[in-house]
Amino acid sequence: MGQKVNPIGIRLGYIKNSQSTWIPESGTGSFAKTLLSDIEIRNYVEKRVPEAAGVSSVLIERTGRNVRITLRTAKPGVIIGKKGEDIEKLRADISTKIGLPVHVSIEEIRKPELDSTLVARSIAQQLERRIMFRRAMKRAVTSALRLGAKGIKVAVAGRLGGAEIARTEIYREGRVPLHTFRADIDYGTATAKTTYGIIGVKVWICKGEILAGKQEQQPAQENA
């Protein structure tokens, strides 16, 4: 089970919330249109916002005819721009695109090393720069554990190191209980487009267990 489904999708309603929050009007067929609009917004943000901004996810909340978009990013300054010009232009462009009033806000990711999507992208960027995949994977694992992760698993697949036969390499440290629903597991993917083919990157990060609506306290790290 744990290896055959998206770790975030299977936990929706237990400990995870959907990235899109809205209720379609019954009997109008608006579900498909609203879903398509959400996909268009996310694709537009992905193309428009520079990769250096480190956008992990786009949260969309709809109330009536108002749309509230929250960008979770490691570098808010890159998106906001000088005196907030860039984010205001982004808001206006999205509003024009979907034909509804839009409010855009920024949520900073304090520890990007514990965000699976950003970790996967970082590994993919290193592979594109021809850095050895083992070194990139070990660096990601070490950083995540140092900042308090309970466990991390990293998988890369493709023509690793330019080999003629594609294979999958997996590094795992600590606990990553995919079958435990109360385990707070963050999952992210990325694609590295190298000169010898595409390499896929998957990252699972366990941040502890969520019990009775409260996250389990992380143990204090011993000073080495």
Side-chain angles (χ1 to χ4, degrees), residues 155-182:
V156 295
R159 292 183 58 187
L160 303 175
E164 290 205 8
I165 298 178
R167 68 183 193 277
T168 302
E169 289 273 347
I170 298 175
Y171 273 75
R172 181 173 180 165
E173 288 281 342
R175 294 179 63 242
V176 187
L178 297 180
H179 292 235
T180 307
F181 279 10
R182 66 176 180 269

PDB file of all heavy atoms in Angstrom, residues 155-182:
ATOM      1  N   ALA A 155      15.236   8.542  -3.802  1.00  0.00           N
ATOM      2  CA  ALA A 155      15.386   7.593  -4.907  1.00  0.00           C
ATOM      3  C   ALA A 155      15.633   8.370  -6.199  1.00  0.00           C
ATOM      4  O   ALA A 155      14.948   9.345  -6.477  1.00  0.00           O
ATOM      5  CB  ALA A 155      14.137   6.724  -5.048  1.00  0.00           C
ATOM      6  N   VAL A 156      16.631   7.949  -6.963  1.00  0.00           N
ATOM      7  CA  VAL A 156      16.879   8.517  -8.291  1.00  0.00           C
ATOM      8  C   VAL A 156      16.869   7.369  -9.291  1.00  0.00           C
ATOM      9  O   VAL A 156      17.337   6.265  -8.994  1.00  0.00           O
ATOM     10  CB  VAL A 156      18.212   9.294  -8.366  1.00  0.00           C
ATOM     11  CG1 VAL A 156      18.179  10.513  -7.474  1.00  0.00           C
ATOM     12  CG2 VAL A 156      19.388   8.408  -7.997  1.00  0.00           C
ATOM     13  N   ALA A 157      16.303   7.613 -10.467  1.00  0.00           N
ATOM     14  CA  ALA A 157      16.185   6.556 -11.469  1.00  0.00           C
ATOM     15  C   ALA A 157      16.469   7.110 -12.855  1.00  0.00           C
ATOM     16  O   ALA A 157      16.048   8.219 -13.185  1.00  0.00           O
ATOM     17  CB  ALA A 157      14.787   5.933 -11.428  1.00  0.00           C
ATOM     18  N   GLY A 158      17.184   6.335 -13.655  1.00  0.00           N
ATOM     19  CA  GLY A 158      17.519   6.763 -15.005  1.00  0.00           C
ATOM     20  C   GLY A 158      18.935   6.332 -15.355  1.00  0.00           C
ATOM     21  O   GLY A 158      19.496   5.441 -14.720  1.00  0.00           O
ATOM     22  N   ARG A 159      19.509   6.986 -16.343  1.00  0.00           N
ATOM     23  CA  ARG A 159      20.880   6.667 -16.769  1.00  0.00           C
ATOM     24  C   ARG A 159      21.867   7.374 -15.837  1.00  0.00           C
ATOM     25  O   ARG A 159      22.470   8.385 -16.191  1.00  0.00           O
ATOM     26  CB  ARG A 159      21.102   7.081 -18.217  1.00  0.00           C
ATOM     27  CG  ARG A 159      20.305   6.256 -19.213  1.00  0.00           C
ATOM     28  CD  ARG A 159      20.637   6.665 -20.632  1.00  0.00           C
ATOM     29  NE  ARG A 159      22.069   6.512 -20.924  1.00  0.00           N
ATOM     30  CZ  ARG A 159      22.641   6.933 -22.041  1.00  0.00           C
ATOM     31  NH1 ARG A 159      21.921   7.521 -22.980  1.00  0.00           N
ATOM     32  NH2 ARG A 159      23.933   6.767 -22.234  1.00  0.00           N
ATOM     33  N   LEU A 160      22.015   6.834 -14.652  1.00  0.00           N
ATOM     34  CA  LEU A 160      22.856   7.459 -13.633  1.00  0.00           C
ATOM     35  C   LEU A 160      24.324   7.421 -14.040  1.00  0.00           C
ATOM     36  O   LEU A 160      24.848   6.365 -14.401  1.00  0.00           O
ATOM     37  CB  LEU A 160      22.662   6.745 -12.295  1.00  0.00           C
ATOM     38  CG  LEU A 160      21.210   6.709 -11.783  1.00  0.00           C
ATOM     39  CD1 LEU A 160      21.124   5.884 -10.513  1.00  0.00           C
ATOM     40  CD2 LEU A 160      20.687   8.114 -11.544  1.00  0.00           C
ATOM     41  N   GLY A 161      24.965   8.576 -13.983  1.00  0.00           N
ATOM     42  CA  GLY A 161      26.369   8.656 -14.346  1.00  0.00           C
ATOM     43  C   GLY A 161      26.631   8.409 -15.819  1.00  0.00           C
ATOM     44  O   GLY A 161      27.758   8.130 -16.215  1.00  0.00           O
ATOM     45  N   GLY A 162      25.577   8.487 -16.648  1.00  0.00           N
ATOM     46  CA  GLY A 162      25.735   8.277 -18.081  1.00  0.00           C
ATOM     47  C   GLY A 162      25.770   6.813 -18.479  1.00  0.00           C
ATOM     48  O   GLY A 162      26.115   6.483 -19.620  1.00  0.00           O
ATOM     49  N   ALA A 163      25.409   5.908 -17.552  1.00  0.00           N
ATOM     50  CA  ALA A 163      25.427   4.474 -17.864  1.00  0.00           C
ATOM     51  C   ALA A 163      24.427   4.155 -18.974  1.00  0.00           C
ATOM     52  O   ALA A 163      23.403   4.813 -19.117  1.00  0.00           O
ATOM     53  CB  ALA A 163      25.097   3.668 -16.614  1.00  0.00           C
ATOM     54  N   GLU A 164      24.745   3.118 -19.762  1.00  0.00           N
ATOM     55  CA  GLU A 164      23.854   2.771 -20.874  1.00  0.00           C
ATOM     56  C   GLU A 164      22.566   2.118 -20.395  1.00  0.00           C
ATOM     57  O   GLU A 164      21.524   2.235 -21.024  1.00  0.00           O
ATOM     58  CB  GLU A 164      24.580   1.833 -21.843  1.00  0.00           C
ATOM     59  CG  GLU A 164      25.688   2.536 -22.610  1.00  0.00           C
ATOM     60  CD  GLU A 164      25.988   1.850 -23.931  1.00  0.00           C
ATOM     61  OE1 GLU A 164      25.234   0.942 -24.303  1.00  0.00           O
ATOM     62  OE2 GLU A 164      26.971   2.234 -24.566  1.00  0.00           O
ATOM     63  N   ILE A 165      22.645   1.399 -19.286  1.00  0.00           N
ATOM     64  CA  ILE A 165      21.453   0.740 -18.744  1.00  0.00           C
ATOM     65  C   ILE A 165      20.925   1.553 -17.565  1.00  0.00           C
ATOM     66  O   ILE A 165      21.658   1.814 -16.600  1.00  0.00           O
ATOM     67  CB  ILE A 165      21.782  -0.704 -18.297  1.00  0.00           C
ATOM     68  CG1 ILE A 165      22.245  -1.527 -19.502  1.00  0.00           C
ATOM     69  CG2 ILE A 165      20.574  -1.355 -17.623  1.00  0.00           C
ATOM     70  CD1 ILE A 165      22.643  -2.936 -19.170  1.00  0.00           C
ATOM     71  N   ALA A 166      19.660   1.954 -17.650  1.00  0.00           N
ATOM     72  CA  ALA A 166      19.055   2.740 -16.574  1.00  0.00           C
ATOM     73  C   ALA A 166      18.855   1.872 -15.338  1.00  0.00           C
ATOM     74  O   ALA A 166      18.604   0.671 -15.437  1.00  0.00           O
ATOM     75  CB  ALA A 166      17.713   3.308 -17.034  1.00  0.00           C
ATOM     76  N   ARG A 167      18.972   2.503 -14.169  1.00  0.00           N
ATOM     77  CA  ARG A 167      18.756   1.767 -12.914  1.00  0.00           C
ATOM     78  C   ARG A 167      18.224   2.743 -11.858  1.00  0.00           C
ATOM     79  O   ARG A 167      18.165   3.951 -12.081  1.00  0.00           O
ATOM     80  CB  ARG A 167      20.055   1.131 -12.436  1.00  0.00           C
ATOM     81  CG  ARG A 167      21.122   2.113 -11.976  1.00  0.00           C
ATOM     82  CD  ARG A 167      22.394   1.359 -11.605  1.00  0.00           C
ATOM     83  NE  ARG A 167      23.355   2.184 -10.882  1.00  0.00           N
ATOM     84  CZ  ARG A 167      24.219   3.012 -11.448  1.00  0.00           C
ATOM     85  NH1 ARG A 167      24.243   3.141 -12.771  1.00  0.00           N
ATOM     86  NH2 ARG A 167      25.070   3.708 -10.714  1.00  0.00           N
ATOM     87  N   THR A 168      17.854   2.186 -10.718  1.00  0.00           N
ATOM     88  CA  THR A 168      17.344   2.996  -9.605  1.00  0.00           C
ATOM     89  C   THR A 168      18.272   2.850  -8.409  1.00  0.00           C
ATOM     90  O   THR A 168      18.677   1.738  -8.063  1.00  0.00           O
ATOM     91  CB  THR A 168      15.925   2.533  -9.200  1.00  0.00           C
ATOM     92  OG1 THR A 168      15.061   2.638 -10.328  1.00  0.00           O
ATOM     93  CG2 THR A 168      15.382   3.399  -8.070  1.00  0.00           C
ATOM     94  N   GLU A 169      18.612   3.985  -7.798  1.00  0.00           N
ATOM     95  CA  GLU A 169      19.437   3.979  -6.586  1.00  0.00           C
ATOM     96  C   GLU A 169      18.627   4.615  -5.463  1.00  0.00           C
ATOM     97  O   GLU A 169      17.994   5.658  -5.656  1.00  0.00           O
ATOM     98  CB  GLU A 169      20.729   4.777  -6.810  1.00  0.00           C
ATOM     99  CG  GLU A 169      21.728   4.107  -7.733  1.00  0.00           C
ATOM    100  CD  GLU A 169      22.652   3.141  -6.994  1.00  0.00           C
ATOM    101  OE1 GLU A 169      22.680   3.181  -5.754  1.00  0.00           O
ATOM    102  OE2 GLU A 169      23.333   2.358  -7.688  1.00  0.00           O
ATOM    103  N   ILE A 170      18.650   4.002  -4.286  1.00  0.00           N
ATOM    104  CA  ILE A 170      17.876   4.501  -3.153  1.00  0.00           C
ATOM    105  C   ILE A 170      18.791   4.656  -1.931  1.00  0.00           C
ATOM    106  O   ILE A 170      19.582   3.762  -1.623  1.00  0.00           O
ATOM    107  CB  ILE A 170      16.717   3.537  -2.805  1.00  0.00           C
ATOM    108  CG1 ILE A 170      15.754   3.421  -3.983  1.00  0.00           C
ATOM    109  CG2 ILE A 170      15.969   4.014  -1.559  1.00  0.00           C
ATOM    110  CD1 ILE A 170      14.646   2.404  -3.785  1.00  0.00           C
ATOM    111  N   TYR A 171      18.672   5.809  -1.268  1.00  0.00           N
ATOM    112  CA  TYR A 171      19.361   6.031   0.000  1.00  0.00           C
ATOM    113  C   TYR A 171      18.303   6.250   1.069  1.00  0.00           C
ATOM    114  O   TYR A 171      17.339   6.980   0.842  1.00  0.00           O
ATOM    115  CB  TYR A 171      20.273   7.259  -0.071  1.00  0.00           C
ATOM    116  CG  TYR A 171      21.655   6.961  -0.600  1.00  0.00           C
ATOM    117  CD1 TYR A 171      21.858   6.734  -1.953  1.00  0.00           C
ATOM    118  CD2 TYR A 171      22.741   6.894   0.253  1.00  0.00           C
ATOM    119  CE1 TYR A 171      23.120   6.449  -2.458  1.00  0.00           C
ATOM    120  CE2 TYR A 171      24.014   6.616  -0.235  1.00  0.00           C
ATOM    121  CZ  TYR A 171      24.189   6.391  -1.594  1.00  0.00           C
ATOM    122  OH  TYR A 171      25.431   6.106  -2.069  1.00  0.00           O
ATOM    123  N   ARG A 172      18.490   5.639   2.233  1.00  0.00           N
ATOM    124  CA  ARG A 172      17.489   5.753   3.287  1.00  0.00           C
ATOM    125  C   ARG A 172      18.166   5.846   4.643  1.00  0.00           C
ATOM    126  O   ARG A 172      19.073   5.072   4.940  1.00  0.00           O
ATOM    127  CB  ARG A 172      16.557   4.542   3.244  1.00  0.00           C
ATOM    128  CG  ARG A 172      15.467   4.564   4.291  1.00  0.00           C
ATOM    129  CD  ARG A 172      14.512   3.411   4.051  1.00  0.00           C
ATOM    130  NE  ARG A 172      13.438   3.390   5.035  1.00  0.00           N
ATOM    131  CZ  ARG A 172      12.341   2.680   4.897  1.00  0.00           C
ATOM    132  NH1 ARG A 172      12.171   1.942   3.818  1.00  0.00           N
ATOM    133  NH2 ARG A 172      11.414   2.694   5.817  1.00  0.00           N
ATOM    134  N   GLU A 173      17.713   6.818   5.445  1.00  0.00           N
ATOM    135  CA  GLU A 173      18.224   6.978   6.808  1.00  0.00           C
ATOM    136  C   GLU A 173      17.047   7.246   7.731  1.00  0.00           C
ATOM    137  O   GLU A 173      16.138   8.000   7.388  1.00  0.00           O
ATOM    138  CB  GLU A 173      19.212   8.153   6.887  1.00  0.00           C
ATOM    139  CG  GLU A 173      20.549   7.908   6.223  1.00  0.00           C
ATOM    140  CD  GLU A 173      21.497   7.075   7.070  1.00  0.00           C
ATOM    141  OE1 GLU A 173      21.255   6.982   8.287  1.00  0.00           O
ATOM    142  OE2 GLU A 173      22.445   6.512   6.515  1.00  0.00           O
ATOM    143  N   GLY A 174      17.062   6.646   8.913  1.00  0.00           N
ATOM    144  CA  GLY A 174      16.013   6.893   9.889  1.00  0.00           C
ATOM    145  C   GLY A 174      14.715   6.155   9.547  1.00  0.00           C
ATOM    146  O   GLY A 174      14.708   5.191   8.781  1.00  0.00           O
ATOM    147  N   ARG A 175      13.593   6.634  10.110  1.00  0.00           N
ATOM    148  CA  ARG A 175      12.281   6.006   9.931  1.00  0.00           C
ATOM    149  C   ARG A 175      11.484   6.710   8.844  1.00  0.00           C
ATOM    150  O   ARG A 175      11.337   7.926   8.873  1.00  0.00           O
ATOM    151  CB  ARG A 175      11.456   6.093  11.224  1.00  0.00           C
ATOM    152  CG  ARG A 175      11.997   5.304  12.386  1.00  0.00           C
ATOM    153  CD  ARG A 175      11.094   5.505  13.603  1.00  0.00           C
ATOM    154  NE  ARG A 175       9.741   4.990  13.355  1.00  0.00           N
ATOM    155  CZ  ARG A 175       8.646   5.750  13.368  1.00  0.00           C
ATOM    156  NH1 ARG A 175       8.731   7.042  13.561  1.00  0.00           N
ATOM    157  NH2 ARG A 175       7.461   5.204  13.158  1.00  0.00           N
ATOM    158  N   VAL A 176      10.937   5.944   7.913  1.00  0.00           N
ATOM    159  CA  VAL A 176       9.986   6.474   6.922  1.00  0.00           C
ATOM    160  C   VAL A 176       8.821   5.486   6.836  1.00  0.00           C
ATOM    161  O   VAL A 176       8.721   4.701   5.891  1.00  0.00           O
ATOM    162  CB  VAL A 176      10.639   6.672   5.538  1.00  0.00           C
ATOM    163  CG1 VAL A 176       9.666   7.385   4.597  1.00  0.00           C
ATOM    164  CG2 VAL A 176      11.926   7.477   5.654  1.00  0.00           C
ATOM    165  N   PRO A 177       7.910   5.500   7.826  1.00  0.00           N
ATOM    166  CA  PRO A 177       6.822   4.515   7.868  1.00  0.00           C
ATOM    167  C   PRO A 177       5.675   4.890   6.929  1.00  0.00           C
ATOM    168  O   PRO A 177       4.735   5.588   7.314  1.00  0.00           O
ATOM    169  CB  PRO A 177       6.379   4.541   9.334  1.00  0.00           C
ATOM    170  CG  PRO A 177       6.709   5.912   9.797  1.00  0.00           C
ATOM    171  CD  PRO A 177       7.898   6.370   9.000  1.00  0.00           C
ATOM    172  N   LEU A 178       5.720   4.418   5.692  1.00  0.00           N
ATOM    173  CA  LEU A 178       4.725   4.797   4.694  1.00  0.00           C
ATOM    174  C   LEU A 178       3.343   4.255   5.030  1.00  0.00           C
ATOM    175  O   LEU A 178       2.329   4.828   4.633  1.00  0.00           O
ATOM    176  CB  LEU A 178       5.158   4.293   3.314  1.00  0.00           C
ATOM    177  CG  LEU A 178       6.463   4.864   2.766  1.00  0.00           C
ATOM    178  CD1 LEU A 178       6.758   4.272   1.400  1.00  0.00           C
ATOM    179  CD2 LEU A 178       6.385   6.380   2.648  1.00  0.00           C
ATOM    180  N   HIS A 179       3.260   3.158   5.783  1.00  0.00           N
ATOM    181  CA  HIS A 179       1.965   2.544   6.085  1.00  0.00           C
ATOM    182  C   HIS A 179       1.286   3.178   7.291  1.00  0.00           C
ATOM    183  O   HIS A 179       0.128   2.900   7.547  1.00  0.00           O
ATOM    184  CB  HIS A 179       2.148   1.045   6.355  1.00  0.00           C
ATOM    185  CG  HIS A 179       2.551   0.268   5.141  1.00  0.00           C
ATOM    186  ND1 HIS A 179       1.838  -0.816   4.692  1.00  0.00           N
ATOM    187  CD2 HIS A 179       3.572   0.417   4.285  1.00  0.00           C
ATOM    188  CE1 HIS A 179       2.419  -1.296   3.606  1.00  0.00           C
ATOM    189  NE2 HIS A 179       3.482  -0.564   3.345  1.00  0.00           N
ATOM    190  N   THR A 180       2.011   3.998   8.052  1.00  0.00           N
ATOM    191  CA  THR A 180       1.444   4.597   9.257  1.00  0.00           C
ATOM    192  C   THR A 180       0.783   5.922   8.905  1.00  0.00           C
ATOM    193  O   THR A 180       1.466   6.890   8.573  1.00  0.00           O
ATOM    194  CB  THR A 180       2.550   4.813  10.311  1.00  0.00           C
ATOM    195  OG1 THR A 180       3.244   3.582  10.507  1.00  0.00           O
ATOM    196  CG2 THR A 180       1.963   5.288  11.624  1.00  0.00           C
ATOM    197  N   PHE A 181      -0.535   5.970   8.978  1.00  0.00           N
ATOM    198  CA  PHE A 181      -1.264   7.163   8.545  1.00  0.00           C
ATOM    199  C   PHE A 181      -0.951   8.377   9.411  1.00  0.00           C
ATOM    200  O   PHE A 181      -1.004   9.503   8.944  1.00  0.00           O
ATOM    201  CB  PHE A 181      -2.769   6.894   8.554  1.00  0.00           C
ATOM    202  CG  PHE A 181      -3.236   6.163   7.325  1.00  0.00           C
ATOM    203  CD1 PHE A 181      -2.329   5.633   6.433  1.00  0.00           C
ATOM    204  CD2 PHE A 181      -4.591   6.017   7.068  1.00  0.00           C
ATOM    205  CE1 PHE A 181      -2.754   4.951   5.304  1.00  0.00           C
ATOM    206  CE2 PHE A 181      -5.026   5.339   5.938  1.00  0.00           C
ATOM    207  CZ  PHE A 181      -4.108   4.800   5.056  1.00  0.00           C
ATOM    208  N   ARG A 182      -0.685   8.171  10.696  1.00  0.00           N
ATOM    209  CA  ARG A 182      -0.422   9.326  11.565  1.00  0.00           C
ATOM    210  C   ARG A 182       0.995   9.877  11.378  1.00  0.00           C
ATOM    211  O   ARG A 182       1.326  10.929  11.918  1.00  0.00           O
ATOM    212  CB  ARG A 182      -0.658   8.957  13.031  1.00  0.00           C
ATOM    213  CG  ARG A 182       0.313   7.929  13.575  1.00  0.00           C
ATOM    214  CD  ARG A 182       0.083   7.691  15.062  1.00  0.00           C
ATOM    215  NE  ARG A 182       1.016   6.693  15.569  1.00  0.00           N
ATOM    216  CZ  ARG A 182       0.764   5.394  15.599  1.00  0.00           C
ATOM    217  NH1 ARG A 182      -0.397   4.934  15.167  1.00  0.00           N
ATOM    218  NH2 ARG A 182       1.660   4.546  16.072  1.00  0.00           N
TER     219      ARG A 182
END
